[in-house]
């Protein structure tokens, strides 16, 4: 019997009916296959309700109807594209859900009923129709999220960024199913860049009693913590970097703090990210 919290049953991949769908579904299948889990493709079209505030009493009735119908037609076309991308994915244990208005409410509920949510790198960088959904899933819904980049694997090397804080702790705990699958786990500690004292051996012991044998790398260089961690993860040839996500109040234009934003905006070749807020 698998202990609760050490396996995943549902891997969610939000799709929007565009070219990135194929890539994000492939990444989701990679993770789902490691757990024999369901790959849940969730189609999130543009929401007609979002158009309504722009259509006041002075808006011409015929124009309003045309605009709404155009949005519905685009949503239907996007759904066909997204379904085709899922049909082309060979992973057998998969499902497709189309969200209706209010789309965000439906997407958040699907996220709550999933173990992990997968987005592609461009979306995490703020590009494309699902960019806002990515921010909401990570920061508002606080769902474990993978930013999939080339080289993502469930059985490779996983680096865990550790500073003893609650965000890092939550990320390490929620990533446990992946850590159990990894061929190698490395704890990256950068005390020179941290605002608190912490002992990485404590996390190492925490993981060991849960079946994960992790190595510790204490990084001596200071400076920008994101750059230090990304450089160390690359040196370990990590496929995935587990990190706590730091956010700002929603009033700010881009909600993620400097360290998280730097990791999201990393150059090509950076490892995939597992984020937990």
């Amino acid at each position: 019997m698998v202990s609760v919290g050490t396996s995943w049953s549902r891997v969610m991949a939000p799709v929007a009916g565009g070219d990135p769908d194929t890539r994000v579904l492939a990444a989701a299948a990679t993770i789902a296959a490691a757990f024999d889990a369901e790959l849940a493709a969730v189609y999130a079209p543009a929401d007609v309700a979002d158009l309504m505030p722009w259509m006041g009493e002075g808006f011409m009735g015929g124009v309003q109807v045309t605009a709404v119908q155009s949005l519905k037609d685009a949503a239907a076309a996007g759904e066909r594209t997204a379904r085709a991308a899922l049909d082309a994915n060979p992973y057998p244990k998969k499902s497709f859900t189309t969200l209706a208005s209010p789309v965000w409410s439906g997407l958040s509920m699907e996220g709550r009923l999933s173990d992990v949510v997968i987005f592609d790198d461009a979306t995490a960088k703020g590009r494309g129709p699902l960019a806002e959904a990515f921010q909401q899933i990570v920061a508002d819904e606080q769902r474990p999220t993978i930013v999939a980049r080339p080289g993502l694997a469930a059985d490779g090397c996983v680096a865990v960024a550790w500073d003893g804080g609650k965000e890092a702790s939550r990320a390490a705990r929620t990533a446990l199913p992946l850590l159990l699958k990894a061929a190698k786990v490395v704890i990256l500690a950068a005390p020179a860049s941290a605002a608190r004292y912490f002992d990485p051996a404590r996390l190492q012991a925490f993981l060991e009693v849960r079946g994960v044998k992790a190595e510790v790398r204490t990084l001596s260089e200071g400076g920008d913590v994101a750059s230090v961690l990304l450089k160390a993860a690359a040196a370990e040839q990590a496929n995935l970097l587990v990190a706590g996500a730091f956010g700002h109040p929603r009033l700010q234009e881009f909600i993620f703090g400097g360290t998280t934003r730097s990791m999201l905006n990393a150059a090509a070749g950076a490892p995939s990210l597992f984020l937990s807020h």
Side-chain angles (χ1 to χ4, degrees):
M1 178 179 294
V2 177
S3 300
V4 175
T6 60
S7 187
W8 287 337
S9 298
R10 189 173 195 255
V11 177
M12 173 179 157
V15 291
D19 291 339
D21 290 354
T22 297
R23 296 191 296 273
V24 75
L25 288 170
T30 295
I31 300 301
F35 300 95
D36 191 30
E38 172 194 1
L39 191 176
V42 178
Y43 174 58
D47 198 334
V48 173
D50 293 338
L51 192 62
M52 295 308 174
W54 300 93
M55 297 182 176
E57 293 181 359
F59 208 93
M60 296 176 59
V63 175
Q64 181 177 0
V65 171
T66 300
V68 170
Q69 188 57 49
S70 296
L71 202 59
K72 289 181 177 179
D73 291 343
E79 180 180 353
R80 289 192 294 271
T81 300
R83 283 186 181 274
L86 183 64
D87 289 342
N89 188 295
Y91 186 70
K93 198 173 180 179
K94 55 191 176 183
S95 65
F96 190 93
T97 300
T98 298
L99 300 177
S101 185
V103 171
W104 165 241
S105 178
L107 190 65
S108 62
M109 181 56 66
E110 293 295 330
R112 293 168 198 164
L113 298 175
S114 302
D115 295 295
V116 66
V117 184
I118 314 290
F119 286 94
D120 73 309
D121 192 37
T123 297
K125 284 180 167 66
R127 301 195 295 268
L130 294 175
E132 185 176 356
F134 167 76
Q135 295 185 16
Q136 290 173 324
I137 286 289
V138 176
D140 291 350
E141 287 298 310
Q142 300 182 354
R143 301 305 302 142
T145 301
I146 291 176
V147 177
R149 292 167 174 162
L152 175 64
D155 57 355
C157 175
V158 177
V160 181
W162 181 247
D163 65 358
K166 63 180 181 180
E167 292 86 0
S169 173
R170 178 180 172 86
R173 286 184 283 109
T174 53
L176 185 58
L178 274 178
L179 301 183
L180 287 165
K181 296 288 184 182
K184 177 182 177 182
V185 176
V186 182
I187 298 168
L188 302 179
S193 300
R196 66 174 66 84
Y197 170 80
F198 62 94
D199 182 1
R202 296 295 302 278
L203 177 61
Q204 186 182 35
F206 173 89
L207 294 175
E208 185 171 6
V209 298
R210 288 159 178 80
V212 178
K213 292 191 178 298
E215 304 171 18
V216 173
R217 300 284 185 271
T218 300
L219 312 175
S220 58
E221 58 186 298
D224 177 59
V225 65
S227 298
V228 171
L229 291 171
L230 288 168
K231 180 180 177 181
E236 297 290 340
Q237 297 184 317
N239 309 101
L240 188 70
L241 175 60
V242 174
F246 298 84
H248 290 309
R250 292 290 302 180
L251 292 176
Q252 296 199 16
E253 181 178 358
F254 192 60
I255 64 173
F256 295 112
T259 299
T260 305
R261 189 184 307 125
S262 295
M263 289 183 175
L264 293 174
N265 290 329
S272 298
L273 298 174
F274 177 97
L275 299 175
S276 184
H277 178 59

